[in-house]
Amino acid sequence: SDRLGCPAIVTSTAIAAGLHALGARRVLALSPYTDDLDARLIAYFGAHGVTVTQVAKYRRTYPAGTTSRALGRTTPEELLEDVRRALAAAGPGIEGVMLACTAVRTADAIVPIEAATGLPVVSAVGATMWAVLRLAGMATAHPEHGRLFGIEALPDGYRAADP
């Protein structure tokens, strides 16, 4: 952000900020990525104080030949089923769900997944939008978009200094 002269954030950092804001330190992640990218995801979030206890796969994955366009056609109902399946295999102690990948359209799935599981859900696109709005000074809570959007500020350590 020093070079830009304005606050900035990237998706992975926005996800970490969102998980911290929600108090979710032990999370289940869903991913369409390859195993080597999933290992990097686990390491990245671990370095940011979030333990990814398991990476489960969406029903569509890049290793299986799915394109970003096809990932974008995943329905909220399919996402809910994928999360339920993954949680059933995850065991106890999960404090939140991370939906990785900006190609997956998650906006309409967040509230139903939170309602069905009782867990906060942070998606790649949702966390990015939440963080950018907070950095821009638009702190109005909108919990109708999920628990994360009910939080009005980035947690300490994620707030950008004024340019």
Side-chain angles (χ1 to χ4, degrees):
S1 68
D2 290 340
R3 289 184 180 190
L4 297 173
C6 65
I9 197 162
V10 296
T11 296
S12 52
T13 305
I15 294 170
L19 292 168
H20 278 273
L22 291 163
R25 300 296 192 278
R26 291 181 44 81
V27 301
L28 166 72
L30 275 82
S31 155
Y33 304 132
T34 58
D35 290 343
D36 62 320
L37 288 178
D38 288 342
R40 293 168 113 182
L41 179 147
I42 291 167
Y44 178 86
F45 288 100
H48 286 271
V50 175
T51 301
V52 177
T53 61
Q54 177 184 343
V55 179
K57 297 296 186 189
Y58 292 121
R59 66 188 60 218
R60 296 176 183 91
T61 67
Y62 289 121
T66 299
T67 64
S68 291
R69 182 173 286 176
L71 276 169
R73 288 193 288 269
T74 303
T75 68
E77 294 79 18
E78 289 172 335
L79 286 173
L80 176 57
E81 289 172 16
D82 289 350
V83 169
R84 281 184 167 151
R85 172 188 41 81
L87 282 171
I94 301 296
E95 299 171 344
V97 175
M98 176 198 315
L99 301 177
C101 188
T102 57
V104 180
R105 296 179 184 171
T106 56
D108 291 336
I110 302 295
V111 171
I113 293 170
E114 288 182 338
T117 66
L119 295 170
V121 177
V122 175
S123 72
V125 173
T128 303
M129 292 305 303
W130 169 78
V132 167
L133 288 168
R134 297 318 178 252
L135 288 173
M138 302 173 83
T140 304
H142 286 282
E144 70 274 14
H145 298 299
R147 291 186 201 176
L148 182 59
F149 281 86
I151 297 173
E152 296 180 358
L154 291 168
D156 291 339
Y158 291 95
R159 296 184 192 125
D162 291 329

